[in-house]
Amino acid sequence: MIDALTEFHFLRAAYLLFLIPIAGLWWVARPKRSGQTDLPFGVAPHLAAALRLDSEDKRHIYPIDVAMIAAVLVTIAAAGPTWSRAQNPLVADTAPLVIALKVTESMENADLPPSRLERAKFKITDLINARAGARTALIAYAGSPHRVAPLTEDANILRPLLEGLTPAVMPKQGDAAGDALTLAQSILDESDTPGAVLFVLDDIDPSQLTKFQNASTQVFFLTMLPNGNGIVQLNNLKNAAVVPFSNDDRDIARLQRQIQTAYVDALDDDDRLDWKDRGWILAWPAALLSLLWFRRGWVIRWALLGLFLIQPAGPATAEGWRDWFLTPDQQGQIAMNQKRYADAAELFEDPYHEGYARLRAGQYPEAAAIFAELNTPEAAFAEGMARIRNREYRPAISAFGTALDRRPNWPEAQHNLEVATAILNYVETTREQSDTGEESGIGADDTVFDNEAARGENTTIQAQTEDAKPLSADQWISAIDTDMQDFLRNRFRLENQEQEQ
């Protein structure tokens, strides 16, 4: 509350000058109470009192009072009061989050069945699902920290990597929580929006607390201990919030609220983001005050005639009462706030907002088609998001490239371009390696066609088998049989060797 008062200001302060003529009009138009005057000579007092005009007027509030109060509210609303920043919905709906998971032998303790580590994985999965649409990165640490996954909105990328994390894949035993924090901060530095770090752990080495005391980002801790037990070392940490493990979803809900609050607070310090106009809040009391004009004696009769005269010509419609007061785009925004994305897409008239609603509703081809018709960098960025979620990797690469052409040095577009390129290379490399036919059960006497010459095209494997059908890209990925633990073990070992060198 104190931070909001500190940041409070008006976006269009010049509109406040209209309060001067409003106050003048109020003073002139408001009825004045006449002062006590001497009674005419020779007239009886009771008759003289009956002749006074204000003898029966005992009102304290006049119609002009209500009208001017409503005018003051509308003027202040037009001035644009604000106290918080507005986030870009296409960049991040909530705060970017880096999750650092402690992967040690102590985390295999079975006091939280089946183990602390497995319960931690469940909690992380629940948090990722609850933060649908938000970017999340994953770090695993023991004696050394390792980046498991970069910031991504795709939970399908994080889940298999998370499942493969066990103490056996870690190259060095120990507790390098401070180094994990440094790595997490470097990941957040790559993001253009402020974020937070979440440590999921059961204990921490006191020697690691120094880096946490000087942390430049908000740090949260989810303690994986039974019966709500805490970690004593964390009690004296500043800028850190500790959430104990719970058997229900209370810990996840609490983390979500605190992460979002930290994100909103951090936005206020980002001068690159626009301020959120809060003037609409004052429109409601102004509208309620206007209803008093329907009281007997308060109605401006000619206003009713003007109301009929300004009605637009054309056939009458029966779209509901909302059409009387709200534009289609306003109705669409209400549906978006209620997470009725498909309904919002049908309501929006603005193509940019319609495309974003279809993107959130999972209508990726329709959203991409809409964004492709727009000529802004944000539209190209959104088209790339729709394409990559529809697994159209080459069109996604082209869209992100267009976004960079329209806005050079855009970190989010550059990052997504690299991610889309890496995914495409991974898919095509997998296709090439699988063209040997080993995973399809193709015999030595069967014929296959090499995919290397036509890399990136919609090629298929042809085999002389009965009822054989071409495999789609989804089937190719599903057919990959990779031991995730071996993959992570080898990758972490190489990273550790490079760090020691």
Side-chain angles (χ1 to χ4, degrees):
M1 186 65 180
I2 297 178
D3 293 338
L5 292 176
T6 303
E7 299 291 343
F8 180 85
H9 65 281
F10 291 97
L11 298 176
R12 299 172 293 274
Y15 280 87
L16 296 177
L17 295 176
F18 285 100
L19 293 176
I20 299 176
I22 290 174
L25 180 61
W26 197 346
W27 174 260
V28 172
R30 195 177 194 277
K32 305 294 191 301
R33 290 183 178 272
S34 59
Q36 184 69 31
T37 59
D38 296 334
L39 297 177
F41 178 77
V43 179
H46 66 283
L47 295 177
L51 294 175
R52 295 181 58 178
L53 295 178
D54 63 344
S55 59
E56 298 296 333
D57 192 359
K58 302 300 183 182
R59 292 182 297 177
H60 298 284
I61 298 178
Y62 296 91
I64 189 62
D65 296 333
V66 177
M68 291 300 102
I69 292 175
V72 169
L73 292 175
V74 171
T75 301
I76 296 176
T82 182
W83 54 86
S84 61
R85 299 276 185 176
Q87 64 192 77
N88 185 342
L90 290 176
V91 174
D93 291 326
T94 54
L97 178 66
V98 179
I99 301 177
L101 174 62
K102 184 181 179 183
V103 186
T104 61
E105 293 182 356
S106 66
M107 289 289 287
E108 292 191 317
N109 194 315
D111 53 2
L112 291 178
S115 69
R116 295 177 181 177
L117 182 59
E118 291 302 317
R119 293 299 288 270
K121 293 178 182 179
F122 295 153
K123 289 295 183 180
I124 293 175
T125 301
D126 291 342
L127 182 60
I128 294 173
N129 293 335
R131 287 168 39 84
R135 294 180 298 164
T136 306
L138 182 61
I139 290 176
Y141 76 93
S144 58
H146 300 275
R147 183 191 312 213
V148 180
L151 286 171
T152 178
E153 297 180 9
D154 192 350
N156 295 325
I157 295 177
L158 297 175
R159 291 191 187 101
L161 294 170
L162 184 63
E163 290 299 323
L165 290 176
T166 64
V169 306
M170 306 305 294
K172 183 188 297 185
Q173 297 302 312
D175 186 353
D179 294 336
L181 177 62
T182 302
L183 177 58
Q185 290 177 328
S186 67
I187 295 176
L188 290 177
D189 290 340
E190 300 172 0
S191 174
D192 198 39
T193 53
V197 182
L198 170 64
F199 276 82
V200 184
L201 72 177
D202 60 350
D203 197 6
I204 187 170
D205 190 337
S207 64
Q208 300 292 314
L209 297 179
T210 304
K211 293 185 178 180
F212 287 90
Q213 293 173 349
N214 301 322
S216 59
T217 56
Q218 180 69 47
V219 181
F220 300 89
F221 294 91
L222 177 60
T223 57
M224 301 304 300
L225 295 173
N227 303 320
N229 294 330
I231 301 175
V232 179
Q233 299 92 307
L234 302 178
N235 294 338
N236 297 325
L237 276 183
K238 298 180 180 179
N239 299 325
V242 181
V243 177
F245 166 84
S246 65
N247 289 318
D248 51 19
D249 294 333
R250 286 179 299 172
D251 48 1
I252 299 301
R254 182 177 171 185
L255 280 172
Q256 272 192 282
R257 291 193 301 268
Q258 294 184 357
I259 292 171
Q260 185 63 22
T261 300
Y263 178 48
V264 173
D265 293 341
L267 286 180
D268 293 340
D269 299 327
D270 193 342
D271 295 333
R272 296 167 296 181
L273 299 176
D274 296 331
W275 289 95
K276 184 181 295 184
D277 192 340
R278 304 283 187 170
W280 62 271
I281 298 176
L282 298 177
W284 291 106
L288 292 175
L289 288 175
S290 66
L291 295 178
L292 294 176
W293 284 100
F294 291 91
R295 289 174 54 88
R296 183 180 179 181
W298 292 42
V299 179
I300 302 177
R301 300 178 184 276
W302 52 264
L304 297 178
L305 177 61
L307 186 62
F308 287 105
L309 292 177
I310 63 175
Q311 290 295 325
T317 59
E319 297 295 332
W321 64 270
R322 289 183 176 84
D323 294 333
W324 301 352
F325 303 99
L326 301 174
T327 66
D329 286 337
Q330 289 172 333
Q331 296 179 46
Q333 187 59 51
I334 292 175
M336 286 290 293
N337 295 339
Q338 296 174 350
K339 297 185 178 181
R340 296 185 291 110
Y341 304 121
D343 294 339
E346 299 299 329
L347 290 169
F348 275 125
E349 289 184 346
D350 181 80
Y352 184 83
H353 288 89
E354 178 188 353
Y356 177 61
R358 295 193 183 279
L359 177 63
R360 295 302 304 270
Q363 302 174 8
Y364 303 132
E366 295 83 354
I370 292 174
F371 288 127
E373 298 296 326
L374 305 178
N375 297 319
T376 62
E378 291 80 8
F381 183 92
E383 180 189 355
M385 295 290 293
R387 299 287 188 190
I388 199 170
R389 291 189 181 185
N390 202 39
R391 299 190 177 182
E392 301 176 44
Y393 302 120
R394 283 192 174 276
I397 292 173
S398 177
F400 289 129
T402 301
L404 286 171
D405 292 338
R406 296 173 180 174
R407 182 185 294 175
N409 302 321
W410 191 0
E412 284 79 10
Q414 182 62 43
H415 171 76
N416 286 359
L417 176 62
E418 295 173 357
V419 171
T421 303
I423 293 175
L424 177 65
N425 290 335
Y426 178 75
V427 172
E428 295 300 339
T429 301
T430 303
R431 285 183 176 181
E432 293 170 5
Q433 294 174 350
S434 300
D435 279 348
T436 59
E438 294 178 0
E439 297 189 12
S440 302
I442 302 175
D445 296 332
D446 295 321
T447 303
V448 297
F449 293 84
D450 187 28
N451 186 31
E452 184 174 359
R455 180 170 183 163
E457 303 296 333
N458 293 325
T459 57
T460 59
I461 292 180
Q462 300 179 6
Q464 298 176 356
T465 58
E466 295 182 358
D467 300 327
K469 296 180 180 179
L471 297 179
S472 65
D474 292 348
Q475 291 171 326
W476 275 106
I477 296 177
S478 300
I480 299 173
D481 183 16
T482 304
D483 189 336
M484 188 59 67
Q485 291 188 9
D486 289 343
F487 168 74
L488 292 174
R489 182 186 297 108
N490 294 332
R491 178 178 148 192
F492 292 168
R493 184 182 295 114
L494 291 174
E495 290 178 355
N496 190 57
Q497 291 176 355
E498 293 176 357
Q499 292 174 0
E500 291 178 349
Q501 292 177 356

